[in-house]
Amino acid sequence: MKIIKAKDYQDMSRKAANIISAQIIMKPDCVLGLATGSTPIETYDQLIDWYKKGDLDFSQVSSVNLDEYRGLSHTDPQSYYYFMHEHLFKHVNIREEATFVPDGTNPDAEAACAAHEEIIKKLGGIDLQLLGLGNNGHIGFNEPSEAFEKETHCVDLTESTIQANSRFFDSIDQVPTQAYTMGIKSIMMAKKILIVANGEGKADIVARAFWGPVTPDVPASILQMHPNVTVVCDEAALSKAPIK
Ligand code: F6R
């Protein structure tokens, strides 16, 4: 596990964007695993900027997203499909048909999840998976539990995640209570993983996830077992980690 300490959010975002950009340059037809949430927004902004300057080309890139709320339409501004289009896809030359977000509009959870898993397999697996870190240690929507969930599946979101995500909605009752998410196995199968976290609010969970015991109670802790993980955090998020 490689830990990279960034000065602040902007620096974290540039470092993360550099790693993604290197992946695209080294393998132009790579498969990127993407995340939503507030943490990667500036990383995406930076990639867009480099694309606009002619330094990056997404024309052969494919992407798969980690998760999606169950029941939200593509036009719902809270859907992750919408998020990805707003924050990245519509600004770069990635082909629409090469971008895959779990289909939250499919009420058949089993079919929607199996289809997403099949897409990852057909693409030949994920070259680089970008992750954010939930306040409770979740990755994707793999919430703390008694066992590590395997492939893409439907989850009931925990109270703490619903609470955390309510900041994006008008009221907490509007936050969906279920989501489709790639499982821990789907994430761990990625060839490389890049996880980003910033701010003091993440300091406790960063220390538990990357320096604590590996336990399904802190889903991100499993990343300690992956052979190629890069953690990029700002100083605040690393303030409780046992490093200088
Ligand atoms: C988003 C996702 C989530 C977020 C996590 C952190 O696709 O899978 O696991 O990465 O909830 O969210 P932020 O970045 O908003 O703190």
Side-chain angles (χ1 to χ4, degrees):
M1 192 169 249
K2 188 163 181 57
I3 310 288
I4 298 180
K5 192 183 211 173
K7 251 194 340 271
D8 50 23
Y9 177 61
Q10 197 189 10
D11 189 32
M12 179 210 79
S13 305
R14 284 177 66 88
K15 286 182 160 64
N18 263 302
I19 293 168
I20 298 170
S21 159
Q23 173 66 61
I24 299 172
I25 292 166
M26 298 298 282
K27 187 177 176 196
D29 61 349
C30 65
V31 179
L32 298 178
L34 298 176
T36 61
S38 41
T39 316
I41 290 179
E42 250 187 67
T43 302
Y44 293 145
D45 287 348
Q46 183 63 72
L47 292 175
I48 294 165
D49 189 45
W50 286 333
Y51 163 73
K52 287 190 173 151
K53 288 184 173 137
D55 290 336
L56 265 184
D57 175 16
F58 289 81
S59 63
Q60 296 178 62
V61 171
S62 304
S63 72
V64 281
N65 263 76
L66 276 170
D67 44 13
E68 176 61 288
Y69 287 119
R70 185 181 190 188
L72 296 194
S73 74
H74 290 169
T75 52
D76 189 318
Q78 305 303 343
S79 75
Y80 288 173
Y81 178 96
Y82 190 93
F83 176 103
M84 286 313 302
H85 282 77
E86 283 305 300
H87 289 286
L88 183 64
F89 298 157
K90 77 176 190 190
H91 305 286
V92 298
N93 65 338
I94 196 163
R95 289 164 303 131
E96 164 74 29
E97 64 276 19
T99 66
F100 302 94
V101 179
D103 186 6
T105 66
N106 186 348
D108 182 343
E110 223 170 281
C113 294
H116 197 63
E117 205 59 45
E118 195 49 38
I119 287 164
I120 300 172
K121 281 193 193 107
K122 275 213 178 109
L123 289 170
I126 296 166
D127 289 298
L128 176 65
Q129 175 67 56
L130 173 65
L131 297 172
L133 177 65
N135 292 322
N136 60 3
H138 73 215
I139 45 176
F141 272 132
N142 292 280
E143 300 283 28
S145 68
E146 275 152 30
F148 290 113
E149 281 283 352
K150 298 185 188 95
E151 302 198 321
T152 306
H153 59 288
C154 181
V155 277
D156 295 326
L157 303 184
T158 60
E159 240 356 272
S160 99
T161 298
I162 293 173
Q163 189 69 46
N165 289 6
S166 66
R167 68 191 195 276
F168 301 113
F169 291 79
D170 290 337
S171 81
I172 192 159
D173 322 326
Q174 290 175 11
V175 186
T177 54
Q178 289 189 311
Y180 300 152
T181 181
M182 273 165 56
I184 293 294
K185 181 176 165 201
S186 345
I187 294 171
M188 289 295 277
M189 296 279 285
K191 294 178 190 95
K192 280 172 266 170
I193 292 179
L194 167 62
I195 180 158
V196 286
N198 72 290
E200 232 182 282
K202 293 277 170 78
D204 274 319
I205 197 65
V206 163
R208 284 179 67 204
F210 307 125
W211 284 271
V214 174
T215 160
D217 197 36
V218 182
S221 65
I222 190 78
L223 299 176
Q224 295 179 41
M225 316 288 285
H226 191 283
N228 195 333
V229 176
T230 306
V231 180
V232 184
C233 290
D234 68 353
E235 284 173 7
L238 281 172
S239 59
K240 297 195 175 161
I243 54 162
K244 282 193 194 150

